[in-house]
Amino acid sequence: MQNHILFIDTETTGLPIDWTQPYSNNANWPYAVQVSWIIYTRDGAELKREDHYISDNDFEISPQALKIHGITRDFLTQNGQPRKFVMDLLYADLKHYQPMVVGHYMELDYNITGADFYRLGMDNPIASLPMYCTMLGSSQYTRNPQATYLRLGQLYSTLFNKPLHHQHNAMVDAEATAACFFEILRNGGITDGAIEKQRADRERRRHQPALKSGCGLSGLLLFAFTLLIAYWL
């Protein structure tokens, strides 16, 4: 495990239309409206936190997303900062700390930040860093046979026996993700082997051969993930 861990969460304008599309297909990828991250040492000492809203006016927030996080255009105009400023801060922290990056549904945060980095002509440093997804790691705590993973609030309440309030604020969710990660780590549920397994699974999904029908298996998995996100949010 890295010496530093960066917990990240984003609130967005909506969901991707097609997860197999490149970032150059700008209309396909939603924008971040809030990006929050907290950096800890591997021993659980917090080093810094950043919580930012995006003020750029080059996007529209879907009604579905607005219903989830409640972040309005007026709020962003009054409280937001330029995308370039926010993403420069994130880029600098990723480069400086070289952390393991952790999110609850890391695939979403990876692609949302990746798309916004692309819009700015920047590479995504997360691509070269180790990652861990607490959503994928939550399967060991599921009690419902119809559920493969737990939502962040469900995982939090399972681990700490109390509800998670004010969800879908990126900083609240980043804090909760960190709390869950360190609790699972303390209980022995996160190991170097578990981190490596997630990495190997990601690589396998990205390199799955196409099926005879012409539909790549990775495309089917991404479609399933899209359905999962719709449920998750």
Side-chain angles (χ1 to χ4, degrees):
M1 190 182 300
Q2 307 294 100
N3 289 328
H4 298 99
I5 306 171
L6 185 149
F7 297 91
I8 190 167
D9 193 77
T10 58
E11 298 299 330
T12 74
T13 58
L15 294 172
I17 299 170
D18 179 353
W19 283 70
T20 65
Q21 289 295 303
Y23 297 144
S24 57
N25 184 350
N26 187 62
N28 181 79
W29 292 99
Y31 294 71
V33 296
Q34 184 187 10
V35 185
S36 303
W37 64 95
I38 312 174
I39 301 173
Y40 288 81
T41 67
R42 63 186 297 170
D43 297 322
E46 182 179 329
L47 298 179
K48 67 174 299 188
R49 60 175 55 201
E50 299 282 353
D51 181 24
H52 300 279
Y53 295 92
I54 308 297
S55 63
D56 298 52
N57 60 3
D58 55 353
F59 56 78
E60 294 184 3
I61 303 171
S62 72
Q64 295 86 350
L66 182 60
K67 184 177 180 180
I68 291 165
H69 54 58
I71 300 172
T72 65
R73 168 57 62 190
D74 287 344
F75 179 88
L76 293 176
T77 299
Q78 296 176 22
N79 299 278
Q81 296 165 300
R83 180 181 301 115
K84 182 69 163 60
F85 173 80
V86 175
M87 300 308 287
D88 276 346
L89 288 177
L90 177 58
Y91 187 97
D93 279 348
L94 290 166
K95 286 292 190 179
H96 176 72
Y97 289 98
Q98 292 292 298
M100 180 168 71
V101 184
V102 179
H104 195 82
Y105 202 176
M106 191 62 226
E107 190 79 12
L108 176 62
D109 296 315
Y110 171 79
N111 281 291
I112 294 301
T113 55
D116 273 353
F117 277 130
Y118 181 87
R119 291 176 177 118
L120 295 167
M122 304 167 68
D123 64 289
N124 185 358
I126 299 176
S128 61
L129 293 171
M131 291 176 267
Y132 184 82
C133 177
T134 53
M135 185 197 77
L136 297 178
S138 72
S139 59
Q140 60 190 296
Y141 295 99
T142 57
R143 299 294 181 265
N144 182 349
Q146 295 181 328
T148 306
Y149 307 114
L150 296 180
R151 302 178 189 180
L152 179 57
Q154 291 173 323
L155 178 60
Y156 185 89
S157 62
T158 297
L159 292 172
F160 301 108
N161 198 31
K162 61 182 180 180
L164 175 60
H165 297 293
H166 309 297
Q167 294 181 62
H168 301 300
N169 174 298
M171 178 51 73
V172 171
D173 289 354
E175 288 177 335
T177 300
C180 291
F181 176 90
F182 284 116
E183 181 65 13
I184 299 171
L185 180 67
R186 187 183 69 82
N187 293 334
I190 296 176
T191 63
D192 288 340
I195 295 169
E196 170 58 24
K197 183 179 185 304
Q198 285 198 11
R199 185 204 65 78
D201 287 346
R202 279 194 304 273
E203 289 301 310
R204 185 166 57 252
R205 286 195 298 270
R206 290 171 183 168
H207 296 95
Q208 286 285 1
L211 299 177
K212 291 182 179 180
S213 64
C215 178
L217 180 57
S218 59
L220 291 176
L221 286 169
L222 288 170
F223 175 72
F225 267 37
T226 302
L227 295 179
L228 184 58
I229 286 184
Y231 169 74
W232 231 249
L233 294 178

